[in-house]
Amino acid sequence: MEGLAAYVNPKSAAASSDAPFSSSSAISSAASEQRQLQAFAYMILCKIMLQQPDEITGLLATGKTAAKFRDQLVVVALQAIAKAQKQRSLADFEKALSEYRSSLQSDELIRSHLTALYDTLLEQNLVRLIEPYSRVEISHIASLIGLPISVVENKMSQMILDDVLHGILDQGNGCLVIFPEPKSNTTYETTLETIKSLGNVVESLYAKAATL
């Protein structure tokens, strides 16, 4: 009966046979657009990780890809993260993470890098607050940064073990004792070079995705 129907009404049969191809083309187009959005988001993420938030404005201002994706939630979320990073505001960073949680948590690469970035931002804030002191109460630093004492104490302990902070925790008196800073090592510079290399790779992927 299907053969007879095709013989009697060939146009209908042809239209029916074209439908799967049309559907497949739509799926392929949607997947390509999703890859472009992902590449664009990774480009912004690289600028954030390289501590170049000012370059994101220029990135969003030019090009068809930017015009297409600048209002996507993940892009808006990363802009909020970049703004918090520029201002070194831990509170704004946490607010952006909370407000755009679903968009930022859905991509494993973005999630892992923002976790590392939050940790770095916390370290930077602690170092800035501790800098004027040679001895300071942990509770005082915790109140200044707006985090529980246990969280601040654990982070300070980690920073000491990682040689980010030079001192000891006097837990009996609830104090941090800071030592004079020794000669710097090249760990930070090496890490920055690695991130720059990653940025070059992502920019290359973005350029290829934009041509799809």
Side-chain angles (χ1 to χ4, degrees):
M1 291 297 292
E2 290 180 0
L4 179 60
Y7 179 78
V8 173
N9 191 358
K11 291 183 178 180
S12 175
S16 177
S17 65
D18 285 344
F21 294 101
S22 176
S23 176
S24 176
S25 177
I27 293 173
S28 177
S29 177
S32 175
E33 186 162 309
Q34 182 61 34
R35 287 195 299 271
Q36 289 183 51
L37 173 58
Q38 186 180 56
F40 189 63
Y42 287 171
M43 174 83 74
I44 296 173
L45 179 63
C46 274
K47 298 299 183 185
I48 292 172
M49 297 307 294
L50 289 170
Q51 300 184 31
Q52 298 171 342
D54 291 335
E55 293 190 13
I56 295 174
T57 302
L59 186 64
L60 292 168
T62 58
K64 293 181 179 179
T65 303
K68 185 192 296 185
F69 296 128
R70 68 168 61 101
D71 294 326
Q72 291 289 323
L73 269 180
V74 65
V75 175
V76 174
L78 288 172
Q79 288 182 75
I81 291 292
K83 183 178 179 181
Q85 181 203 34
K86 182 178 180 180
Q87 296 175 346
R88 295 186 179 183
S89 172
L90 204 60
D92 288 347
F93 195 100
E94 290 176 335
K95 181 180 178 182
L97 287 178
S98 176
E99 186 174 350
Y100 300 104
R101 183 174 301 277
S102 59
S103 297
L104 296 174
Q105 293 289 322
S106 60
D107 188 293
E108 184 177 351
L109 183 67
I110 292 176
R111 183 174 65 250
S112 63
H113 278 76
L114 291 187
T115 299
L117 183 61
Y118 176 84
D119 200 51
T120 300
L121 192 60
L122 176 55
E123 285 186 3
Q124 290 174 344
N125 275 266
L126 285 173
V127 168
R128 177 175 56 82
L129 292 172
I130 293 166
E131 189 176 9
Y133 303 99
S134 60
R135 182 183 181 92
V136 62
E137 291 184 357
I138 299 170
S139 58
H140 177 62
I141 298 299
S143 66
L144 291 176
I145 204 168
L147 290 173
I149 294 175
S150 60
V151 173
V152 173
E153 186 173 356
N154 287 338
K155 183 58 183 174
M156 285 178 175
S157 178
Q158 179 190 332
M159 290 167 68
I160 291 171
L161 290 173
D162 293 341
D163 287 330
V164 175
L165 191 61
H166 307 287
I168 58 169
L169 289 172
D170 181 356
Q171 293 178 318
N173 294 308
C175 293
L176 170 70
V177 180
I178 299 96
F179 299 151
E181 190 171 346
K183 293 181 180 180
S184 61
N185 58 44
T186 60
T187 302
Y188 175 78
E189 289 76 12
T190 303
T191 303
L192 192 59
E193 286 300 320
T194 302
I195 294 174
K196 285 182 178 179
S197 297
L198 175 62
N200 292 335
V201 171
V202 173
E203 286 184 5
S204 175
L205 291 173
Y206 168 70
K208 290 180 180 178
T211 62
L212 296 177

